[in-house]
mmCIF file of all heavy atoms in Angstrom:
data_model
loop_
_atom_site.group_PDB
_atom_site.id
_atom_site.type_symbol
_atom_site.label_atom_id
_atom_site.label_comp_id
_atom_site.label_asym_id
_atom_site.label_seq_id
_atom_site.Cartn_x
_atom_site.Cartn_y
_atom_site.Cartn_z
ATOM 1 N N TYR A 30 0.851 -1.209 -0.064
ATOM 2 C CA TYR A 30 0.034 0.034 0.010
ATOM 3 C C TYR A 30 0.890 1.271 0.014
ATOM 4 O O TYR A 30 1.245 1.700 1.062
ATOM 5 C CB TYR A 30 -0.930 0.009 1.196
ATOM 6 C CG TYR A 30 -1.852 1.179 1.234
ATOM 7 C CD1 TYR A 30 -3.043 1.165 0.408
ATOM 8 C CD2 TYR A 30 -1.786 2.126 2.154
ATOM 9 C CE1 TYR A 30 -3.876 2.248 0.430
ATOM 10 C CE2 TYR A 30 -2.661 3.204 2.196
ATOM 11 C CZ TYR A 30 -3.723 3.161 1.263
ATOM 12 O OH TYR A 30 -4.631 4.275 1.336
ATOM 13 N N ILE A 31 1.366 1.724 -1.139
ATOM 14 C CA ILE A 31 2.294 2.783 -1.316
ATOM 15 C C ILE A 31 1.575 4.020 -1.392
ATOM 16 O O ILE A 31 0.807 4.279 -2.341
ATOM 17 C CB ILE A 31 3.220 2.533 -2.466
ATOM 18 C CG1 ILE A 31 3.823 1.188 -2.357
ATOM 19 C CG2 ILE A 31 4.203 3.749 -2.735
ATOM 20 C CD1 ILE A 31 4.610 0.845 -3.620
ATOM 21 N N ARG A 32 1.961 5.015 -0.499
ATOM 22 C CA ARG A 32 1.527 6.328 -0.481
ATOM 23 C C ARG A 32 2.590 7.432 -0.721
ATOM 24 O O ARG A 32 2.280 8.537 -1.233
ATOM 25 C CB ARG A 32 0.644 6.766 0.777
ATOM 26 C CG ARG A 32 -0.742 6.006 0.816
ATOM 27 C CD ARG A 32 -1.568 6.646 -0.165
ATOM 28 N NE ARG A 32 -2.777 5.884 -0.476
ATOM 29 C CZ ARG A 32 -3.069 5.421 -1.765
ATOM 30 N NH1 ARG A 32 -2.231 5.557 -2.778
ATOM 31 N NH2 ARG A 32 -4.148 4.622 -2.054
ATOM 32 N N VAL A 33 3.716 7.067 -0.266
ATOM 33 C CA VAL A 33 4.858 8.012 -0.357
ATOM 34 C C VAL A 33 6.104 7.266 -0.838
ATOM 35 O O VAL A 33 6.356 6.178 -0.262
ATOM 36 C CB VAL A 33 5.191 8.747 0.972
ATOM 37 C CG1 VAL A 33 6.377 9.676 0.942
ATOM 38 C CG2 VAL A 33 3.978 9.479 1.380
ATOM 39 N N ILE A 34 6.779 7.869 -1.701
ATOM 40 C CA ILE A 34 8.223 7.323 -2.197
ATOM 41 C C ILE A 34 9.209 8.307 -1.745
ATOM 42 O O ILE A 34 9.032 9.468 -1.766
ATOM 43 C CB ILE A 34 8.274 7.343 -3.757
ATOM 44 C CG1 ILE A 34 7.094 6.406 -4.361
ATOM 45 C CG2 ILE A 34 9.675 6.807 -4.188
ATOM 46 C CD1 ILE A 34 6.820 6.642 -5.792
ATOM 47 N N TRP A 35 10.248 7.691 -1.049
ATOM 48 C CA TRP A 35 11.215 8.574 -0.382
ATOM 49 C C TRP A 35 12.659 8.037 -0.565
ATOM 50 O O TRP A 35 12.828 6.936 -1.007
ATOM 51 C CB TRP A 35 10.980 8.764 1.213
ATOM 52 C CG TRP A 35 10.640 7.461 1.810
ATOM 53 C CD1 TRP A 35 9.311 7.010 2.222
ATOM 54 C CD2 TRP A 35 11.580 6.434 2.421
ATOM 55 N NE1 TRP A 35 9.499 5.762 2.863
ATOM 56 C CE2 TRP A 35 10.844 5.459 3.016
ATOM 57 C CE3 TRP A 35 13.006 6.404 2.334
ATOM 58 C CZ2 TRP A 35 11.420 4.355 3.617
ATOM 59 C CZ3 TRP A 35 13.593 5.342 2.992
ATOM 60 C CH2 TRP A 35 12.834 4.315 3.576
ATOM 61 N N ILE A 36 13.583 8.810 -0.202
ATOM 62 C CA ILE A 36 14.982 8.483 -0.120
ATOM 63 C C ILE A 36 15.531 8.798 1.297
ATOM 64 O O ILE A 36 15.246 9.826 1.893
ATOM 65 C CB ILE A 36 15.878 9.281 -1.150
ATOM 66 C CG1 ILE A 36 17.284 8.731 -1.174
ATOM 67 C CG2 ILE A 36 15.810 10.755 -0.905
ATOM 68 C CD1 ILE A 36 18.094 9.218 -2.343
ATOM 69 N N ALA A 37 16.129 7.674 1.828
ATOM 70 C CA ALA A 37 16.666 7.794 3.189
ATOM 71 C C ALA A 37 17.950 8.641 3.215
ATOM 72 O O ALA A 37 18.637 8.692 2.199
ATOM 73 C CB ALA A 37 16.887 6.444 3.724
ATOM 74 N N LEU A 38 18.286 9.206 4.368
ATOM 75 C CA LEU A 38 19.511 9.980 4.653
ATOM 76 C C LEU A 38 20.274 9.334 5.722
ATOM 77 O O LEU A 38 19.700 8.807 6.695
ATOM 78 C CB LEU A 38 19.249 11.422 4.872
ATOM 79 C CG LEU A 38 18.513 12.272 3.885
ATOM 80 C CD1 LEU A 38 18.364 13.662 4.314
ATOM 81 C CD2 LEU A 38 19.295 12.256 2.540
ATOM 82 N N GLN A 39 21.567 9.463 5.623
ATOM 83 C CA GLN A 39 22.436 8.922 6.620
ATOM 84 C C GLN A 39 23.427 10.143 7.087
ATOM 85 O O GLN A 39 23.690 10.886 6.241
ATOM 86 C CB GLN A 39 23.343 7.763 6.178
ATOM 87 C CG GLN A 39 22.503 6.396 5.917
ATOM 88 C CD GLN A 39 22.034 5.978 7.166
ATOM 89 O OE1 GLN A 39 22.561 6.061 8.309
ATOM 90 N NE2 GLN A 39 20.895 5.235 7.133
ATOM 91 N N PRO A 40 23.879 10.215 8.309
ATOM 92 C CA PRO A 40 23.742 9.294 9.416
ATOM 93 C C PRO A 40 22.372 9.504 10.061
ATOM 94 O O PRO A 40 22.235 10.635 10.685
ATOM 95 C CB PRO A 40 25.039 9.500 10.244
ATOM 96 C CG PRO A 40 25.299 11.060 10.025
ATOM 97 C CD PRO A 40 24.848 11.319 8.605
ATOM 98 N N GLU A 41 21.547 8.562 10.011
ATOM 99 C CA GLU A 41 20.239 8.664 10.679
ATOM 100 C C GLU A 41 20.349 9.131 12.228
ATOM 101 O O GLU A 41 19.492 9.922 12.659
ATOM 102 C CB GLU A 41 19.301 7.517 10.459
ATOM 103 C CG GLU A 41 17.947 7.757 10.849
ATOM 104 C CD GLU A 41 16.974 6.648 10.303
ATOM 105 O OE1 GLU A 41 17.335 5.592 9.857
ATOM 106 O OE2 GLU A 41 15.759 6.987 10.268
ATOM 107 N N ASP A 42 21.298 8.539 12.893
ATOM 108 C CA ASP A 42 21.345 8.846 14.308
ATOM 109 C C ASP A 42 21.662 10.340 14.543
ATOM 110 O O ASP A 42 20.980 10.891 15.501
ATOM 111 C CB ASP A 42 22.402 7.981 15.019
ATOM 112 C CG ASP A 42 23.812 8.121 14.510
ATOM 113 O OD1 ASP A 42 24.029 8.486 13.285
ATOM 114 O OD2 ASP A 42 24.798 7.775 15.258
ATOM 115 N N LYS A 43 22.483 10.977 13.809
ATOM 116 C CA LYS A 43 22.782 12.471 13.906
ATOM 117 C C LYS A 43 21.621 13.290 13.528
ATOM 118 O O LYS A 43 21.239 14.274 14.212
ATOM 119 C CB LYS A 43 23.984 12.772 13.106
ATOM 120 C CG LYS A 43 25.261 12.287 13.749
ATOM 121 C CD LYS A 43 25.641 13.027 14.955
ATOM 122 C CE LYS A 43 26.899 12.719 15.630
ATOM 123 N NZ LYS A 43 27.142 13.137 16.940
ATOM 124 N N ILE A 44 20.893 12.902 12.493
ATOM 125 C CA ILE A 44 19.689 13.596 12.060
ATOM 126 C C ILE A 44 18.670 13.449 13.094
ATOM 127 O O ILE A 44 17.982 14.562 13.404
ATOM 128 C CB ILE A 44 19.211 13.067 10.691
ATOM 129 C CG1 ILE A 44 20.337 13.401 9.635
ATOM 130 C CG2 ILE A 44 18.030 13.815 10.180
ATOM 131 C CD1 ILE A 44 20.135 12.573 8.384
ATOM 132 N N THR A 45 18.464 12.284 13.676
ATOM 133 C CA THR A 45 17.483 12.075 14.699
ATOM 134 C C THR A 45 17.911 12.862 16.001
ATOM 135 O O THR A 45 16.986 13.502 16.632
ATOM 136 C CB THR A 45 17.465 10.654 15.090
ATOM 137 O OG1 THR A 45 17.014 9.869 13.891
ATOM 138 C CG2 THR A 45 16.322 10.300 16.200
ATOM 139 N N GLU A 46 19.103 13.038 16.180
ATOM 140 C CA GLU A 46 19.663 13.866 17.400
ATOM 141 C C GLU A 46 19.198 15.278 17.181
ATOM 142 O O GLU A 46 18.693 15.945 18.098
ATOM 143 C CB GLU A 46 21.049 13.658 17.506
ATOM 144 C CG GLU A 46 21.704 14.092 18.754
ATOM 145 C CD GLU A 46 23.157 13.918 18.923
ATOM 146 O OE1 GLU A 46 23.701 12.819 18.421
ATOM 147 O OE2 GLU A 46 23.944 14.802 19.413
ATOM 148 N N LEU A 47 19.415 15.790 15.940
ATOM 149 C CA LEU A 47 19.058 17.212 15.632
ATOM 150 C C LEU A 47 17.453 17.216 15.764
ATOM 151 O O LEU A 47 16.959 18.276 16.378
ATOM 152 C CB LEU A 47 19.457 17.568 14.289
ATOM 153 C CG LEU A 47 18.973 19.036 13.702
ATOM 154 C CD1 LEU A 47 19.418 20.062 14.643
ATOM 155 C CD2 LEU A 47 19.569 19.199 12.349
ATOM 156 N N LYS A 48 16.702 16.372 15.346
ATOM 157 C CA LYS A 48 15.234 16.438 15.443
ATOM 158 C C LYS A 48 14.879 16.551 16.883
ATOM 159 O O LYS A 48 13.937 17.286 17.324
ATOM 160 C CB LYS A 48 14.615 15.200 14.702
ATOM 161 C CG LYS A 48 13.157 15.089 14.757
ATOM 162 C CD LYS A 48 12.589 13.789 14.992
ATOM 163 C CE LYS A 48 11.062 13.764 14.962
ATOM 164 N NZ LYS A 48 10.159 14.882 14.977
ATOM 165 N N GLU A 49 15.537 15.659 17.683
ATOM 166 C CA GLU A 49 15.198 15.591 19.201
ATOM 167 C C GLU A 49 15.528 17.054 19.803
ATOM 168 O O GLU A 49 14.812 17.441 20.686
ATOM 169 C CB GLU A 49 15.996 14.520 19.866
ATOM 170 C CG GLU A 49 15.663 13.142 19.544
ATOM 171 C CD GLU A 49 14.228 12.945 19.969
ATOM 172 O OE1 GLU A 49 13.783 13.299 21.092
ATOM 173 O OE2 GLU A 49 13.453 12.207 19.282
ATOM 174 N N LYS A 50 16.643 17.650 19.328
ATOM 175 C CA LYS A 50 16.914 18.994 19.834
ATOM 176 C C LYS A 50 15.757 19.982 19.535
ATOM 177 O O LYS A 50 15.324 20.726 20.344
ATOM 178 C CB LYS A 50 18.188 19.586 19.298
ATOM 179 C CG LYS A 50 19.431 18.870 19.727
ATOM 180 C CD LYS A 50 20.214 19.630 20.769
ATOM 181 C CE LYS A 50 21.447 18.972 20.948
ATOM 182 N NZ LYS A 50 22.147 19.527 22.194
ATOM 183 N N VAL A 51 15.185 19.901 18.321
ATOM 184 C CA VAL A 51 14.037 20.682 17.977
ATOM 185 C C VAL A 51 12.857 20.406 18.822
ATOM 186 O O VAL A 51 12.245 21.226 19.368
ATOM 187 C CB VAL A 51 13.742 20.499 16.479
ATOM 188 C CG1 VAL A 51 12.316 21.022 16.078
ATOM 189 C CG2 VAL A 51 14.849 20.989 15.548
ATOM 190 N N GLU A 52 12.661 19.089 18.977
ATOM 191 C CA GLU A 52 11.408 18.638 19.851
ATOM 192 C C GLU A 52 11.593 19.175 21.224
ATOM 193 O O GLU A 52 10.596 19.608 21.860
ATOM 194 C CB GLU A 52 11.394 17.030 19.835
ATOM 195 C CG GLU A 52 11.019 16.389 18.571
ATOM 196 C CD GLU A 52 9.523 16.411 18.319
ATOM 197 O OE1 GLU A 52 8.763 16.937 19.039
ATOM 198 O OE2 GLU A 52 9.195 15.745 17.281
ATOM 199 N N ASP A 53 12.766 18.972 21.760
ATOM 200 C CA ASP A 53 13.056 19.458 23.137
ATOM 201 C C ASP A 53 12.768 20.934 23.382
ATOM 202 O O ASP A 53 12.170 21.286 24.352
ATOM 203 C CB ASP A 53 14.435 19.177 23.600
ATOM 204 C CG ASP A 53 14.746 17.667 23.848
ATOM 205 O OD1 ASP A 53 13.710 16.940 23.946
ATOM 206 O OD2 ASP A 53 15.933 17.271 23.985
ATOM 207 N N VAL A 54 13.310 21.838 22.518
ATOM 208 C CA VAL A 54 12.985 23.207 22.691
ATOM 209 C C VAL A 54 11.599 23.654 22.437
ATOM 210 O O VAL A 54 11.172 24.665 23.061
ATOM 211 C CB VAL A 54 14.032 24.179 21.869
ATOM 212 C CG1 VAL A 54 15.427 23.945 22.218
ATOM 213 C CG2 VAL A 54 13.705 24.012 20.411
ATOM 214 N N LEU A 55 10.835 22.835 21.843
ATOM 215 C CA LEU A 55 9.424 23.191 21.451
ATOM 216 C C LEU A 55 8.450 22.323 22.297
ATOM 217 O O LEU A 55 7.318 22.450 22.116
ATOM 218 C CB LEU A 55 9.194 23.078 20.069
ATOM 219 C CG LEU A 55 9.869 23.935 19.029
ATOM 220 C CD1 LEU A 55 9.543 23.585 17.601
ATOM 221 C CD2 LEU A 55 9.632 25.363 19.304
ATOM 222 N N LYS A 56 8.987 21.526 23.331
ATOM 223 C CA LYS A 56 8.080 20.656 23.926
ATOM 224 C C LYS A 56 6.920 21.238 24.815
ATOM 225 O O LYS A 56 5.998 20.601 25.001
ATOM 226 C CB LYS A 56 8.967 19.736 24.987
ATOM 227 C CG LYS A 56 9.590 20.387 26.127
ATOM 228 C CD LYS A 56 10.437 19.432 26.887
ATOM 229 C CE LYS A 56 11.237 20.267 27.970
ATOM 230 N NZ LYS A 56 12.442 19.695 28.413
ATOM 231 N N ASP A 57 7.101 22.483 25.198
ATOM 232 C CA ASP A 57 5.967 23.186 25.987
ATOM 233 C C ASP A 57 4.918 23.768 25.029
ATOM 234 O O ASP A 57 3.933 24.224 25.469
ATOM 235 C CB ASP A 57 6.508 24.138 26.924
ATOM 236 C CG ASP A 57 7.391 25.262 26.256
ATOM 237 O OD1 ASP A 57 8.029 24.980 25.240
ATOM 238 O OD2 ASP A 57 7.545 26.361 26.898
ATOM 239 N N LEU A 58 5.249 23.807 23.665
ATOM 240 C CA LEU A 58 4.288 24.340 22.691
ATOM 241 C C LEU A 58 3.643 23.201 21.863
ATOM 242 O O LEU A 58 2.541 23.458 21.316
ATOM 243 C CB LEU A 58 5.017 25.277 21.822
ATOM 244 C CG LEU A 58 5.720 26.511 22.557
ATOM 245 C CD1 LEU A 58 6.457 27.287 21.496
ATOM 246 C CD2 LEU A 58 4.636 27.400 23.158
ATOM 247 N N PHE A 59 4.395 22.149 21.576
ATOM 248 C CA PHE A 59 3.908 21.042 20.634
ATOM 249 C C PHE A 59 4.048 19.799 21.223
ATOM 250 O O PHE A 59 5.035 19.510 21.887
ATOM 251 C CB PHE A 59 4.652 21.253 19.374
ATOM 252 C CG PHE A 59 4.340 22.537 18.548
ATOM 253 C CD1 PHE A 59 5.273 23.688 18.766
ATOM 254 C CD2 PHE A 59 3.296 22.751 17.812
ATOM 255 C CE1 PHE A 59 5.177 24.801 18.182
ATOM 256 C CE2 PHE A 59 3.065 24.036 17.143
ATOM 257 C CZ PHE A 59 3.999 25.087 17.426
ATOM 258 N N THR A 60 3.292 18.736 20.781
ATOM 259 C CA THR A 60 3.356 17.463 21.121
ATOM 260 C C THR A 60 4.543 16.831 20.487
ATOM 261 O O THR A 60 4.783 17.026 19.301
ATOM 262 C CB THR A 60 1.994 16.661 20.836
ATOM 263 O OG1 THR A 60 1.036 17.452 21.332
ATOM 264 C CG2 THR A 60 2.143 15.250 21.206
ATOM 265 N N LYS A 61 5.288 15.991 21.135
ATOM 266 C CA LYS A 61 6.381 15.298 20.590
ATOM 267 C C LYS A 61 5.939 14.247 19.603
ATOM 268 O O LYS A 61 5.021 13.516 19.879
ATOM 269 C CB LYS A 61 7.202 14.603 21.726
ATOM 270 C CG LYS A 61 8.473 14.065 21.176
ATOM 271 C CD LYS A 61 9.409 13.626 22.400
ATOM 272 C CE LYS A 61 10.724 13.179 21.807
ATOM 273 N NZ LYS A 61 11.600 12.752 22.879
#
């Protein structure tokens, strides 16, 4: 059941870490 075609990026762990920083600073305004 395909709805989106994508390309993955590496290093996923570092990108996820940046995403977590964004989530952390906005945690009192938006749901994680």
Side-chain angles (χ1 to χ4, degrees):
Y30 183 72
I31 301 171
R32 285 290 162 242
V33 174
I34 301 164
W35 48 260
I36 185 167
L38 296 181
Q39 290 295 331
E41 190 163 19
D42 60 334
K43 286 291 184 191
I44 297 166
T45 301
E46 199 178 316
L47 176 58
K48 183 215 181 353
E49 289 298 321
K50 294 255 185 192
V51 169
E52 292 276 9
D53 287 348
V54 299
L55 297 176
K56 68 183 173 206
D57 56 337
L58 299 175
F59 298 94
T60 306
K61 189 172 182 177

